Amino acid sequence: ELKDASFTALELKTEGVSATELKTASFTVSEMKSAEFTTSELKSVGYTASEMKTEFQASELKEVGYTVEELKTASFTFNEIINANYEIENIAEEYEDVIKEIRCGNQHTAILMTGGTIYTIGRNAYGQLGIGNTTHKYTVQTLTNNTGKTPSQISCGGEFTMILMTDGTIYGCGLNTNGQLGNGTTTNSTTLTQLTNSTGKTPTQISCGGNYTMILMSDGTIYGTGQNTSGQFGNGTTTNSTTLTQLTN
């Protein structure tokens, strides 16, 4: 009856009608927002995340206590939810079959999903986010994978990102001034470039240091590429390499 009387939510609020009464009278979130009710007030009277989605961002709903489950039910995207700064543990509870690995470089983060998608965020001065440019990103981006292959493992160096594919090939992007991408050059790359593996062996694990990459092969041997000024390859030298060199065991 309140709504049928053609009063606005703001007019009724001014007359002392409560948020609960206005919700019962079927006033929408948009009308309630126009009446200057806060997100907290709207949540307290029972508006769902689905109703709130029309007027508020995921981060605003997170601030007043809406859960990851509620936002997921309201069809907020994974990107929207993760950018709302929920704790990773809370996200994993709802996406436990989606998040596989999280790896960090100096100032960038990579997230591998079980389906093979990789999300990146942070510093991107050398293309380490793998999105085709060098623009820093403060919200999650999808790494461009034009290889036709499925990632199975990720690792981040200081300013670069490496990816092991399910077929045993390895790709990387970002800083390459020491040859850490292992492609025979020292050219940085903003998109995935394939590591040259002429060993005849199949990689099973990858791990990156500040400016170098180490690879465990299926036969138990280990190879490295990139910076070796402190002997990090374990091959008895301090010579950098742009291609794989074997650790002496």
Side-chain angles (χ1 to χ4, degrees):
E1 292 181 1
L2 290 174
K3 197 167 187 182
D4 291 341
S6 298
F7 291 109
T8 66
L10 179 59
E11 290 172 326
L12 292 169
K13 178 185 179 184
T14 302
E15 293 300 317
V17 180
S18 70
T20 300
E21 292 172 306
L22 294 178
K23 182 180 185 300
T24 301
S26 299
F27 280 88
T28 67
V29 170
S30 177
E31 291 172 308
M32 298 290 276
K33 184 180 180 183
S34 296
E36 300 178 355
F37 284 100
T38 66
T39 51
S40 180
E41 289 173 315
L42 297 183
K43 183 180 189 301
S44 69
V45 299
Y47 283 98
T48 67
S50 295
E51 293 171 306
M52 298 285 277
K53 184 182 180 183
T54 60
E55 297 295 325
F56 299 99
Q57 296 180 355
S59 58
E60 295 175 289
L61 299 188
K62 186 255 184 186
E63 288 301 315
V64 296
Y66 285 92
T67 66
V68 173
E69 180 182 7
E70 289 175 303
L71 266 62
K72 184 181 178 185
T73 300
S75 299
F76 281 93
T77 66
F78 176 78
N79 277 19
E80 289 174 314
I81 290 172
I82 200 168
N83 285 327
N85 293 321
Y86 283 94
E87 295 293 329
I88 290 297
E89 292 81 2
N90 294 334
I91 296 173
E93 288 174 2
E94 295 301 320
Y95 291 91
E96 58 185 355
D97 293 328
V98 181
I99 299 174
K100 182 179 181 181
E101 293 181 358
I102 301 173
R103 299 290 181 264
C104 299
N106 281 352
Q107 298 181 56
H108 76 289
T109 301
I111 303 167
L112 173 63
M113 317 303 278
T114 53
T117 301
I118 297 173
Y119 295 101
T120 53
I121 185 172
R123 178 175 164 85
N124 193 35
Y126 303 100
Q128 54 262 54
L129 301 188
I131 55 176
N133 60 54
T134 54
T135 303
H136 304 327
K137 295 295 181 180
Y138 310 110
T139 58
V140 172
Q141 307 295 304
T142 302
L143 180 142
T144 303
N145 180 7
N146 292 327
T147 67
K149 302 177 181 182
T150 302
S152 67
Q153 189 182 131
I154 56 175
S155 186
C156 293
E159 302 277 2
F160 67 105
T161 303
M162 300 297 289
I163 303 167
L164 173 63
M165 302 297 183
T166 54
D167 67 353
T169 56
I170 297 172
Y171 289 77
C173 58
L175 185 68
N176 192 36
T177 52
N178 292 284
Q180 50 264 59
L181 301 186
N183 62 357
T185 77
T186 55
T187 303
N188 301 338
S189 182
T190 63
T191 57
L192 293 184
T193 179
Q194 187 170 359
L195 176 143
T196 303
N197 180 7
S198 57
T199 67
K201 302 175 182 181
T202 302
T204 59
Q205 289 185 37
I206 57 173
S207 185
C208 300
N211 291 303
Y212 66 103
T213 301
M214 300 299 290
I215 301 167
L216 173 65
M217 301 297 183
S218 58
D219 67 353
T221 56
I222 298 173
Y223 289 76
T225 182
Q227 188 177 46
N228 189 41
T229 51
S230 297
Q232 44 265 67
F233 294 164
N235 64 350
T237 78
T238 54
T239 303
N240 295 346
S241 180
T242 62
T243 57
L244 295 184
T245 181
Q246 187 171 355
L247 177 144
T248 303
N249 183 3

